[in-house]
Amino acid sequence: MSLPYAPRFAYYDGKLQSGSSNSSFQTINPATAEPLAQIHTTTNAAIDAAVASAQKAFPAWSATPPIERARVLQRAASILRARNDELARIETSDTGKPFSETSTVDVVTGADVLEYFANMVGSGGMNGETTQLRPDAWVYTTKNSLGVCAGIGAWNYPIQIALWKSAPCLAAGNCMVYKPSEFTPLHAQVLASIYAEAGIPPGVFNVVQGGGEVGAYLTKHPGIAKVSFTGQVSTGRKVAGSAAGEMKYVTMELGGKSACVILPDADLEQAVDGAMMANFFSTGQVCTNGTRVFIPEAMKAGFEKLLLEKIQHIRPGDLQDLATNFGPLVSKPHYEKVKSYITHGIENDKARLLCGGAETPSWLTNHTNKAYQNGYWVQPTVFTDCTDDMKIVREEIFGPVMSILTYKTVDEVVARANNTDVGLAAGVFTKDLNLAHQVIAKLEAGITWVNTWGESPAEMSVGGWKMSGVGVENGKKGLEAWVKNKSTLVEMGGVVPTVFAKL
């Protein structure tokens, strides 16, 4: 049986490597549970070859003037934008996200980051600093490329995350061996071809395919100088530990259990809209989602009433229809995981189910595309009367499951919001900007919003606190994660300072 997409292989030395595998698996369309493509797992020998290809390319690419690297990356950004809808449809097939989302967010924001870092290095972003220490001595610093870096992608924003990693990596003069998630691997080979079309030399951007064993081998590889990983906390800890043990640079963007704090004076409609974006966008499969929604006791009834009205505007259905704004979960294992959390919330945590639940969505039985009945669809679910000790409140579900909690005072809600091992994101809704800044300053999270949720532009450095990560991505600080600095002191006095002079 022919599949909708061509087989995926490793890519290095500037071309597909059909002999790089001795096993394969199928990637699945989450909307229908039907296979999309055959993915050929990269062997250890082929990973070695991909790293060697990058090592061979590194001296010339790192020596290429930044302005020339910038021009190549700008061309790649233009190609991405020209092919936006084609790439978005691939993402929709692979992730289950509606085309209304992938066509306006995923490719667009990835191209923005690529252009941002191209412009940064093209306008002096790789320049160091010079300091006159004294009249006859100077200190200068330089920013140097790291070498060959490993990028390990996540399944929820495949091409966006691939660009978030490769853009600053390549702009800084490094080469990359990139492994996409085995659940959403279709984009990687296409991105490699776009980079090649733009003029990226062979070996600068390479792709390996497979599951955790491929990522583990790549992370430990002696030819890798840095590992950049996006994923869940438990996996990130293993990756970080492995990389640190080899004295590699690391960037880790991990999970969260973020607090969405509705302050007492907040506009009710804005609060509901923000909470819905913080829970149901991308079917809840966003690491920064604000799944702990804290409401003042006096606002709870009004909030829930308006939420139930607005939740009717969540529209699952044909993923290619621009009116659809809610898709399935990404895979069967994740589908089973999310459903088990919903069941636990009902049966064990005894939270009150305001809407949704673990049952099959009713609209599926009447949908014209009968294949959708086999997909990984769940209902947007809201629990209320929640307490901080409930499992659904403490653990990251990574699905469209909102937990509503009430509070009495601002000091109380800040303390409860911070009572977690993770600190990826947080946000507040209020009309009082002075209060907003005061509360945001106390929230222990690396990404925060006021009166909005989720936007993460190229200019905004993002990274987690606590167990949610190490380092940042994007923004001016994002480039620093991909360079090593050298400091040099130059003495021009004509005499070497010494304590060993003759007395």
Side-chain angles (χ1 to χ4, degrees), residues 238-254:
K238 294 175 184 176
V239 173
S242 174
E246 304 292 328
M247 300 305 291
K248 302 179 191 299
Y249 292 80
V250 295
T251 304
M252 297 281 137
E253 200 274 280
L254 308 178

Side-chain angles (χ1 to χ4, degrees), residues 411-426:
D411 287 342
E412 173 202 339
V413 76
V414 168
R416 290 169 60 194
N418 290 336
N419 186 22
T420 172
D421 291 336
V422 288
L424 187 58

